[in-house]
Amino acid sequence: MARLLIVDDDPSLLRVLRIGLVARGYDVVTARDGASGLTQATMTSPDVIVLDLGLPDIDGLEVCRRIRQWSEVPVVVLSAFGAEDRKVAALDGGADDYMTKPFGMAELEARVRVALRHVTDRAAGADSMSSELRIGSVVIDLARRSVTVGDQAVELTAKEFELLSFLAQHSGQVCTHRVILERVWGPGYGTEVHYLRVYVNRLRTKIGDGTGRLLRTSPGVGYQLEAPLPGPLPGGPTKL
């Protein structure tokens, strides 16, 4: 049984979500503020965290950043604001998904299923794959879920690693926005192009590809990962 942690300061919403998700077979833990949410995240080891941004004590973005310091658990953000800059800030802070209130129980459960499936796929992949992918000076170890540029390790979030791995497995091919979104984030995400902009920019910064020589943009189409001409990438990987 998958365990969900829901962090929201609205007791009525928490009650509805608990009843609905328990009826669907989930083990549900709740918290009504950021501090309690962080405590529950460490004590209960949830499989997915559903996190409201408008918390009374700690901003939800800060809660997400703190969780990312020690855990790769999928975080699905809830917010009353649908502005793109708010979505970008949440994704940049380590969230895996973003939902705008009001929302339907069916949509929330679908997104939770996608998050859980990604966790399962990562675990299965770690057991079955032992190969390395080399794109220029970037080495991606699929089994160990590690990335190095030259001899320097690069720390990536779970979603950043999935995106880089997908592009590496299709090296030299232009992958469209829709294909990337549906394969990395899941069905129903084909139009969320701003997700890609955020993550591609983060990847370029971390692997030292600020000029886009390695992770290339095909304007209006998608992205392509391909080894550049011989020579180091400008600046090298970003140290974290």
Side-chain angles (χ1 to χ4, degrees):
M1 178 185 296
R3 175 172 294 161
L4 310 182
L5 168 59
I6 304 174
V7 186
D8 197 293
D9 66 337
D10 184 342
S12 298
L13 179 60
L14 285 180
R15 184 168 56 253
V16 169
L17 292 180
R18 178 192 285 275
I19 293 172
L21 291 169
V22 167
R24 288 165 169 79
Y26 295 98
D27 178 17
V28 178
V29 178
T30 62
R32 292 180 58 177
D33 55 51
S36 299
L38 289 168
T39 299
Q40 293 285 10
T42 58
M43 293 179 60
T44 64
S45 300
D47 298 294
V48 177
I49 297 176
V50 179
L51 175 65
D52 181 27
L53 292 187
L55 299 173
D57 55 345
I58 307 173
D59 183 76
L61 293 177
E62 178 61 23
V63 173
C64 186
R65 293 188 190 101
R66 294 186 191 182
I67 290 171
R68 280 291 167 262
Q69 292 175 0
W70 53 271
S71 174
E72 292 187 353
V73 60
V75 176
V76 178
V77 160
L78 298 179
S79 177
F81 302 99
E84 182 172 343
D85 59 346
R86 191 66 167 166
K87 293 182 179 181
V88 168
L91 295 170
D92 222 12
D96 296 272
D97 199 358
Y98 191 105
M99 292 183 63
T100 303
K101 298 178 180 179
F103 57 89
M105 181 66 74
E107 180 186 4
L108 175 61
E109 188 188 9
R111 299 201 183 206
V112 167
R113 286 198 305 267
V114 169
L116 290 170
R117 185 163 62 246
H118 286 165
V119 172
T120 301
D121 290 346
R122 288 201 301 267
D127 291 338
S128 63
M129 292 185 294
S130 60
S131 61
E132 291 183 343
L133 300 175
R134 295 177 179 267
I135 312 295
S137 60
V138 178
V139 179
I140 305 165
D141 189 320
L142 297 174
R144 294 181 174 84
R145 295 184 62 80
S146 64
V147 175
T148 57
V149 178
D151 59 354
Q152 183 176 324
V154 179
E155 296 294 331
L156 301 181
T157 66
K159 194 61 67 178
E160 289 167 354
F161 183 86
E162 290 175 13
L163 174 57
L164 183 63
S165 298
F166 176 78
L167 293 173
Q169 290 176 62
H170 298 83
S171 175
Q173 305 174 25
V174 176
C175 300
T176 66
H177 297 139
R178 178 175 293 277
V179 167
I180 297 171
L181 286 163
E182 291 184 349
R183 292 292 298 276
V184 176
W185 273 268
Y189 292 80
T191 61
E192 304 284 354
V193 178
H194 57 277
Y195 280 30
L196 285 182
R197 296 194 191 104
V198 171
Y199 277 87
V200 166
N201 287 336
R202 285 162 56 175
L203 280 176
R204 284 173 173 159
T205 298
K206 290 187 176 184
I207 65 175
D209 184 34
T211 61
R213 290 175 56 211
L214 179 67
L215 208 175
R216 306 176 186 178
T217 300
S218 291
V221 179
Y223 297 97
Q224 176 184 14
L225 190 66
E226 187 171 22
L229 295 174
L233 294 174
T238 300
K239 295 183 179 180
L240 298 179

